[in-house]
Amino acid sequence: MAERSTAAVDVADNSGDEPLAAKAGKATTDGLAEAQDEAEKSAADTGSERQNTEPGLSAPELHSGHKLARRYRLEECVTRLDGFSSWRAVDEKLRRAVGVHLLPADHPRARSVLAAARSSALLGDPRFVQVLDAVEEDDLVYVVHEWLPDAVELTALLAAGPLEAHEAYQLVSQVSQAMAAAHREGLAHLRLTPGAVLRTSTGQYRIRGLAVNAALRGISADRPQRTDTEAIGALLYAALTQRWPYEADAYGLSGLPKGVGLIAPDQVRAGIHRGLSELAMRALVNDGATASRQEPPCTTPDELAAAVAEMPRIRPPEPTFTAPPEYQRTTYQQGTYGRSQAGLGAPPLPPVAPPPPPLQSRTGKLLKWTVAALLIAALGLGSWQVADRLLDQGSENDPVPTQPTTGDDKATKAPKPLRIADATEFMPSGSGIKPALVPNAIDGKPGTAWITLQYQNYPNFGNLPDRKQGSGIIVDLGSVQDVSGIDIDMYRGGQKAELLAADADASDPSALADFSQRLTKLETVGGTLKTTLDKPVRTRYVLIHITELPTDGSADRFRGGISEITFTG
């Protein structure tokens, strides 16, 4: 009987139709279109990778329309290389696009690919393209991952030209932080090329193929942290110069001139940001000083991320506005249809008659006094009506009026639902629990939920050091709103939770200190957490903060979560 084994990831109890990382929104490509033949050779230029290829291997002969596990329908083969193939497919159960890597179960690297996929799935970091399933079945090994149709490869961005300073800063900042988090969990990429970095429509960079791409190609490294750091430096170098920082051409980019060695980006192209140029050299030149200053080299993603954080923040360029065209007189206004008579030059403008003098006659004076008297009378009449109404309202003995109220009496506004623009997991330590499941808490479906892992012995998330401040969900309303009511359906009663709001001028709050407005006190709640505020709170971000979890059916196992979030204002 064929063996079927999936990655050992704790999945929500009520989302059995969702393998591994569960619902992750839109799906994205993962290392499918990056297999350029000349790019395969460029890895040796760094001197830090070893690629093992086994001759005679062939990818499984499958065709479009073939279905895996009765749900993944293959649509288009994107890569066929070195005994494996990569496909764009459709998950018919969840009706979304996915990517699939396929290789025979007896492939020499099948075991390492499965192990890499399972390790990557356990990370659960939204900055990486998520592995959704890793299966061995019917003599096949396949890895299913997200597919993001609206994302653009860095390769395509660089084909259009170098990135401006702010965009290059965002690239190196986000990628170095993501890789630092991966290495803290013992995961390396080892194939961090321009094809492995995607830019989403919201400006976020996501990395695909963590551990899996290297396993598919048999790539290993003696110093994985240094290998990934140099790769990030190469990406930054290419983003600044539109050149690959080695002599060989790769990934659609021209290499450096032969014989000149590695030169700083600001010497390759004029106008490059000096700080970013030095940062690229610190990541690439790991055996000595940089090209301009005696700064220490960056040999790990953590060091590179720290160096980026020490830089003055590079702000986006100011938007440019095009001035409206000057007012042009029409041909009718110009006279003779805009054509000047020969020898006479431009036609002169007609003289403008002065305004008529104010009325000075007796009739005019009488009219002015009449208008003034009418205005005074109207004001007096209005004041008398207002005073009469106030006296009527102040009398307690007056009978209740039987006439319908007019539009002057404003009715109390009924609360209306507020649209939730986005939601993210509260990760004060930088690492998440189940960030891919957060959309389940705002999808309007009570049967889906964001659910934590199962923790043993301690209700405070296992008493783990990185969970000292608990967890929860940060809700983004998209803009500052007047919040008057909050209704939370909890995944399970018995959780200790509170509601906190950020100030109206807060931007992307992520730490507990960023939420200065307390909406409810921290206490153990039942199946729902509801509050109606006496006075609406103006905010954009609200934190559902959970510090302790209820038991999960036994005395020493704990799990919690959030099923649905609703706001009114």
Side-chain angles (χ1 to χ4, degrees):
M1 182 177 293
E3 175 190 0
R4 176 181 172 89
S5 58
T6 58
V9 178
D10 187 44
V11 183
D13 295 341
N14 62 349
S15 55
D17 60 341
E18 188 70 39
L20 294 189
K23 299 180 181 176
K26 291 185 178 179
T28 183
T29 60
D30 179 355
L32 299 184
E34 65 178 47
Q36 303 177 8
D37 293 338
E38 69 273 16
E40 296 290 337
K41 302 175 184 178
S42 67
D45 294 336
T46 63
S48 59
E49 293 184 351
R50 299 192 303 271
Q51 180 167 349
N52 306 316
T53 58
E54 291 77 10
L57 293 176
S58 59
E61 291 297 332
L62 299 177
H63 55 82
S64 298
H66 183 88
K67 195 175 296 185
L68 302 170
R70 300 182 181 179
R71 65 182 295 182
Y72 303 118
R73 187 182 73 248
L74 302 182
E75 293 284 322
E76 178 186 4
C77 183
V78 185
T79 301
R80 192 178 295 274
L81 177 73
D82 200 16
F84 72 90
S85 59
S86 299
W87 295 73
R88 177 178 59 83
V90 174
D91 183 351
E92 294 185 337
K93 194 169 187 178
L94 297 179
R95 298 181 181 180
R96 66 179 182 184
V98 295
V100 178
H101 296 306
L102 277 166
L103 66 165
D106 59 354
H107 193 287
R109 296 195 289 272
R111 300 294 107 194
S112 60
V113 169
L114 277 176
R118 293 167 182 172
S119 299
S120 178
L122 285 171
L123 181 62
D125 192 319
R127 294 171 291 192
F128 294 91
V129 173
Q130 298 294 300
V131 172
L132 305 174
D133 214 348
V135 178
E136 179 180 353
E137 186 178 57
D138 297 334
D139 299 324
L140 284 176
V141 167
Y142 57 91
V143 176
V144 184
H145 55 82
E146 289 182 282
W147 184 282
L148 288 180
D150 64 339
V152 181
E153 284 186 4
L154 182 59
T155 307
L157 295 176
L158 296 181
L163 304 185
E164 53 93 13
H166 171 73
E167 197 62 37
Y169 172 81
Q170 291 296 323
L171 168 69
V172 67
S173 176
Q174 295 181 32
V175 173
S176 61
Q177 290 178 19
M179 289 309 306
H183 278 280
R184 284 194 293 268
E185 299 296 329
L187 293 173
H189 197 290
L190 304 184
R191 190 169 168 75
L192 200 54
T193 66
V197 178
L198 303 171
R199 187 183 186 275
T200 67
S201 57
T202 60
Q204 302 299 311
Y205 286 94
R206 296 186 65 179
I207 303 170
R208 63 186 178 188
L210 178 67
V212 176
N213 282 4
L216 285 168
R217 292 165 175 80
I219 297 174
S220 60
D222 295 328
R223 291 181 289 180
Q225 295 210 51
R226 175 167 173 171
T227 298
D228 282 342
T229 305
E230 290 190 28
I232 300 173
L235 294 177
L236 177 58
Y237 195 105
L240 295 172
T241 64
Q242 204 184 10
R243 300 286 292 266
W244 194 239
Y246 304 101
E247 291 186 355
D249 299 346
Y251 313 110
L253 301 172
S254 301
L256 298 178
K258 295 184 178 180
V260 301
L262 181 60
I263 55 179
D266 56 2
Q267 297 178 17
V268 175
R269 190 172 68 88
I272 289 180
H273 189 277
R274 181 71 176 275
L276 292 175
S277 176
E278 294 175 355
L279 195 65
M281 296 300 290
R282 292 178 64 183
L284 285 168
V285 185
N286 286 319
D287 295 325
T290 63
S292 58
R293 296 190 309 182
Q294 299 296 318
E295 293 284 356
C298 298
T299 59
T300 67
D302 256 324
E303 293 177 357
L304 183 58
V308 175
E310 292 174 357
M311 288 180 55
R313 186 173 182 180
I314 302 175
R315 300 194 176 277
E318 294 292 335
T320 57
F321 298 95
T322 304
E326 291 186 8
Y327 170 73
Q328 300 289 338
R329 293 189 302 274
T330 64
T331 55
Y332 174 79
Q333 291 171 319
Q334 291 174 350
T336 65
Y337 296 98
R339 295 190 299 272
S340 60
Q341 300 179 9
L344 298 180
L349 295 176
V352 179
L359 297 175
Q360 298 294 335
S361 62
R362 294 179 59 187
T363 304
K365 292 181 179 180
L366 179 61
L367 180 61
K368 287 193 292 183
W369 282 109
T370 303
V371 172
L374 290 175
L375 288 175
I376 294 173
L379 289 174
L381 180 61
S383 300
W384 176 81
Q385 290 177 340
V386 171
D388 185 63
R389 169 172 289 185
L390 292 175
L391 290 173
D392 289 344
Q393 292 178 351
S395 176
E396 297 180 354
N397 298 323
D398 290 344
V400 178
T402 58
Q403 297 296 327
T405 57
T406 64
D408 296 337
D409 299 326
K410 295 183 179 179
T412 304
K413 292 183 178 180
K416 62 178 181 179
L418 297 179
R419 187 184 72 87
I420 297 177
D422 194 15
T424 56
E425 188 172 297
F426 176 54
M427 299 183 289
S429 64
S431 62
I433 297 176
K434 287 287 187 177
L437 293 180
V438 172
N440 293 348
I442 59 172
D443 60 1
K445 301 175 183 178
T448 61
W450 169 77
I451 306 173
T452 71
L453 298 172
Q454 186 183 69
Y455 295 90
Q456 293 185 351
N457 301 327
Y458 298 95
N460 59 339
F461 296 86
N463 202 27
L464 297 176
D466 59 343
R467 295 282 170 258
K468 289 183 178 179
Q469 293 186 347
S471 184
I473 292 179
I474 299 175
V475 177
D476 180 5
L477 298 175
S479 62
V480 177
Q481 303 282 344
D482 288 327
V483 178
S484 60
I486 302 175
D487 189 351
I488 312 293
D489 288 335
M490 309 300 288
Y491 169 69
R492 178 178 283 121
Q495 302 179 74
K496 195 170 185 179
E498 62 181 340
L499 296 176
L500 304 171
D503 291 336
D505 58 352
S507 176
D508 295 329
S510 58
L512 193 59
D514 297 336
F515 297 88
S516 58
Q517 304 184 75
R518 181 178 296 277
L519 307 183
T520 65
K521 62 181 180 179
L522 181 62
E523 61 183 353
T524 302
V525 300
T528 60
L529 173 56
K530 296 183 179 181
T531 182
T532 301
L533 304 177
D534 296 333
K535 182 180 180 182
V537 173
R538 286 190 60 77
T539 185
R540 174 178 174 177
Y541 301 96
V542 175
L543 168 62
I544 301 111
H545 184 213
I546 301 175
T547 60
E548 291 186 8
L549 307 175
T551 60
D552 191 18
S554 61
D556 60 346
R557 296 177 183 272
F558 303 89
R559 173 183 283 182
I562 298 172
S563 296
E564 203 60 40
I565 303 171
T566 305
F567 282 72
T568 56

